[in-house]
Amino acid sequence: MGIAQMKVLIVTAIFPTASNPAFGSYVHTQFESLRRAGIEVEILVLKHRYRKLIYPIAIRQLRQRLASGSFDLVHAHYGLVGMVARTQWKLPVVVTYHGSDILGWINDSGRRAPLGVIIAAAGRMLARHVDAANVQSDEMAGKLQRPNVFVIPHEVDLEVFQPTEKEQARAALGLESNKKYLLFAANPQVAVKRFPLAKAVAEFLASRDPSVELRVVSREPQQRLALYMSACDALVFPSYQEGSPNIVKQAMACNLPIVSTDVGDVRQIIAATKHCYVCQPTVAEFTARLSELLTHRQRTDGRQQIQHLESSAVARRVIGVYEEVLRRRKGRAVATKSPLADLLQAMYRSGANEAGGVVEEKNES
């Protein structure tokens, strides 16, 4: 089947809204890049007033949507949404895992939350019953160890995330020209992002140099986030755990220096990029690296280093997975049941799923 004849339904529980334009922005970016590549794509955003009811009710929503359109494939984002997608067996299912849905969730103490361990185990089980699993990093692929796993980190919109002259960006954002700004681009309430470490580092640096200020940015439109990346002097990224953090890749696209913990594929992404560092999660190490960056205040050549993650390039890889799945599916008997089916149907019949009450995207960038 050629690209022009392919019709894909993307199913997700996270997607940008007017009140939170950063919510699932990476899903929106991929949706648009697939559309521009020539795929006919539609999207089903799972919603409910009570979040814990999203997933059981979504099974009915999915069936209604599939009945109203002639789709070739279902592409689900996140493991719980993948479970919903796999309650039907007529169409092949591709699941994109984002990190916590395979690795587990991190709590305030930096440990794996018990419920997250259960959901991650279910996510790994699901991978045995879908047609393909896209993951963000080699670490995630190692948790699955199956032939239908593809490492495809999310793309970067290089048209949105591009360097702007620092003073111009600061003027647009109302920032002071004589400050040294550190950027923490995540919700500080999300435990896995380890905001207390970023705050402690910034306070220590500010005690020695009052011009140092930590800017906390979340829920901003992508265009304004890009401006912050051009306006600031360094990205502080002390996360406990990641898949392939989009914030790091976006910072690279804006040539913003980075100091990060060794999580996900960060080491691979920044590689030998000057003025970008991977270090231990201590105040001393972060302070030493950031002090160096704030002294010299130089930009990186990060944009040049991530051209392979440009939207159209990643879209081609995702489409390649679609094509392979459809080739394998053609002429093969379609399964009607698996060991996972009873569990999924039970979830549907229950009318409520406490696991679904947890905001599964909270651990992702």
Side-chain angles (χ1 to χ4, degrees), residues 177-223:
S177 61
N178 62 341
K179 288 277 192 178
K180 296 176 181 177
Y181 289 110
L182 303 176
L183 177 63
F184 182 85
N187 182 346
Q189 301 302 315
V190 176
V192 74
K193 302 302 180 183
R194 197 153 35 186
F195 176 70
L197 176 55
K199 185 172 183 287
V201 169
E203 289 175 348
F204 182 83
L205 289 168
S207 70
R208 299 194 302 181
D209 181 352
S211 68
V212 174
E213 182 177 318
L214 182 67
R215 299 295 299 191
V216 179
V217 176
S218 65
R219 299 174 69 96
E220 289 281 6
Q222 298 291 277
Q223 291 79 2

Side-chain angles (χ1 to χ4, degrees), residues 29-340:
T29 298
Q30 187 163 106
F31 170 78
E32 290 296 333
S33 65
L34 290 169
R35 184 181 58 79
R36 288 194 298 268
I39 296 291
E40 185 178 355
V41 286
E42 293 185 11
I43 193 153
L44 173 60
V45 180
L46 307 179
K47 300 177 182 177
H48 195 274
R49 179 180 177 184
Y50 300 107
R51 188 162 185 87
K52 67 181 180 181
L53 295 178
I54 283 179
Y55 301 102
I57 290 176
I59 297 174
R60 183 179 68 249
Q61 295 173 331
L62 173 65
R63 291 174 178 176
Q64 291 173 341
R65 187 62 170 272
L66 292 179
S68 67
S70 179
F71 296 98
D72 300 295
L73 182 146
V74 177
H75 184 174
H77 283 269
Y78 282 97
L80 287 175
V81 179
M83 292 180 188
V84 172
R86 188 69 291 176
T87 58
Q88 62 79 36
W89 299 89
K90 181 180 178 181
L91 297 180
V93 172
V94 174
V95 178
T96 290
Y97 293 91
H98 291 263
S100 59
D101 43 0
I102 287 180
L103 302 174
W105 297 326
I106 301 297
N107 60 26
D108 291 333
S109 63
R111 297 184 175 88
R112 300 198 185 284
L115 180 57
V117 172
I118 295 171
I119 298 300
R124 293 193 292 271
M125 179 181 176
L126 173 69
R128 300 199 294 268
H129 302 286
V130 297
D131 297 85
N134 294 346
V135 297
Q136 305 300 305
S137 65
D138 291 335
E139 178 188 12
M140 293 175 65
K143 298 291 185 181
L144 300 179
Q145 296 182 334
R146 299 198 51 84
N148 66 336
V149 175
F150 302 86
V151 179
I152 307 179
H154 263 297
E155 56 273 86
V156 181
D157 188 337
L158 294 180
E159 293 183 7
V160 172
F161 291 92
Q162 57 179 299
T164 300
E165 196 276 325
K166 181 182 288 187
E167 292 307 315
Q168 179 184 342
R170 290 189 173 192
L173 295 168
L175 301 179
E176 298 179 39
S177 61
N178 62 341
K179 288 277 192 178
K180 296 176 181 177
Y181 289 110
L182 303 176
L183 177 63
F184 182 85
N187 182 346
Q189 301 302 315
V190 176
V192 74
K193 302 302 180 183
R194 197 153 35 186
F195 176 70
L197 176 55
K199 185 172 183 287
V201 169
E203 289 175 348
F204 182 83
L205 289 168
S207 70
R208 299 194 302 181
D209 181 352
S211 68
V212 174
E213 182 177 318
L214 182 67
R215 299 295 299 191
V216 179
V217 176
S218 65
R219 299 174 69 96
E220 289 281 6
Q222 298 291 277
Q223 291 79 2
R224 278 181 63 83
L225 175 58
L227 280 177
Y228 274 105
M229 289 179 170
S230 288
C232 291
D233 294 286
L235 176 72
V236 185
F237 195 78
S239 282
Y240 284 109
Q241 171 186 281
E242 296 287 338
S244 177
N246 293 292
I247 292 298
V248 169
K249 293 177 286 189
Q250 292 161 348
M252 290 282 283
C254 295
N255 293 334
L256 177 65
I258 299 163
V259 180
S260 172
T261 44
D262 192 2
V263 290
D265 63 353
V266 170
R267 186 178 291 277
Q268 177 183 347
I269 291 296
I270 69 174
T273 306
K274 289 184 177 180
H275 316 305
C276 289
Y277 301 103
V278 171
C279 64
Q280 293 297 313
T282 65
V283 172
E285 283 213 32
F286 266 76
T287 297
R289 292 303 191 182
L290 288 166
S291 293
E292 179 183 338
L293 294 175
L294 294 177
T295 297
H296 300 291
R297 305 185 79 178
Q298 294 178 304
R299 305 301 283 187
T300 76
D301 65 345
R303 186 176 182 85
Q304 180 180 337
Q305 307 302 323
I306 59 160
Q307 293 299 311
H308 62 291
L309 293 175
E310 185 270 331
S311 294
S312 63
V314 174
R316 287 193 295 271
R317 295 179 63 190
V318 174
I319 292 169
V321 173
Y322 293 166
E323 291 174 331
E324 180 171 334
V325 164
L326 292 172
R327 279 196 301 269
R328 291 200 309 256
R329 185 88 165 185
K330 187 177 180 180
R332 190 178 68 187
V334 177
T336 59
K337 194 174 181 63
S338 82
L340 193 62

